[in-house]
């Protein structure tokens, strides 16, 4: 259940970021593909969009030692995904942002 909840939150955060920022002020699509690697019991989720190029792995981690009032707005969702997933990979290919996350289940 813990892994499922972490995956659900990661998907929600990534889709929200694409929805809010990738196509602003316009609209666009996001493709989400799910896979399962039985040999290592790992869920693999790939997100693909044609929005503004953005590599979340290059984003500085927020200073969690600061209070909420002292911290800059944003960045906690990406931080949470990076901390809860086993891996997170980004590439920009053929005009697309492609983000892949992996989480071992069980």
């Amino acid at each position: 259940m813990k892994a499922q909840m972490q995956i659900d939150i990661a998907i929600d955060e990534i889709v929200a970021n694409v929805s809010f920022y990738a196509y602003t002020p316009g609209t666009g699509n996001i493709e989400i593909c799910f896979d399962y690697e039985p040999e290592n019991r790992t869920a693999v989720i790939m997100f693909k969009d044609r929005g503004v190029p953005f590599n979340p792995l290059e984003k500085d981690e927020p200073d969690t030692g600061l209070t909420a009032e002292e911290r800059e707005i944003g960045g906690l969702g990406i931080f949470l995904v990076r901390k809860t997933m086993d891996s997170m990979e980004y590439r920009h290919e053929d005009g697309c942002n492609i983000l892949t996350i992996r989480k071992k289940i069980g």
Side-chain angles (χ1 to χ4, degrees):
M1 285 303 290
K2 181 179 177 181
Q4 180 62 55
M5 183 175 63
Q6 290 172 329
I7 290 169
D8 289 347
I9 291 170
I11 291 169
D12 185 60
E13 289 295 335
I14 294 167
V15 170
N17 279 343
V18 172
S19 298
F20 289 125
Y21 304 112
Y23 298 105
T24 302
T27 62
N29 296 319
I30 181 171
E31 178 182 339
I32 305 171
C33 298
F34 296 87
D35 196 8
Y36 180 72
E37 298 171 343
E39 65 277 1
N40 57 9
R41 299 185 56 146
T42 300
V44 180
I45 304 109
M46 189 262 315
F47 305 84
K48 184 176 179 180
D49 69 77
R50 291 190 170 276
V52 175
F54 176 71
N55 182 349
L57 302 178
E58 292 177 349
K59 178 114 173 98
D60 290 336
E61 290 190 1
D63 185 349
T64 56
L66 299 175
T67 67
E69 293 80 23
E70 295 171 321
R71 264 195 316 262
E72 289 185 33
I73 294 174
L76 286 177
I78 292 170
F79 174 75
L80 182 65
V81 174
R82 289 172 78 172
K83 293 297 181 189
T84 59
M85 296 296 104
D86 294 320
S87 73
M88 188 171 171
E89 303 154 11
Y90 171 84
R91 68 184 191 277
H92 191 264
E93 188 175 279
D94 297 327
C96 294
N97 293 300
I98 302 170
L99 181 68
T100 304
I101 59 173
R102 287 182 167 76
K103 181 68 178 177
K104 188 169 181 126
I105 301 173

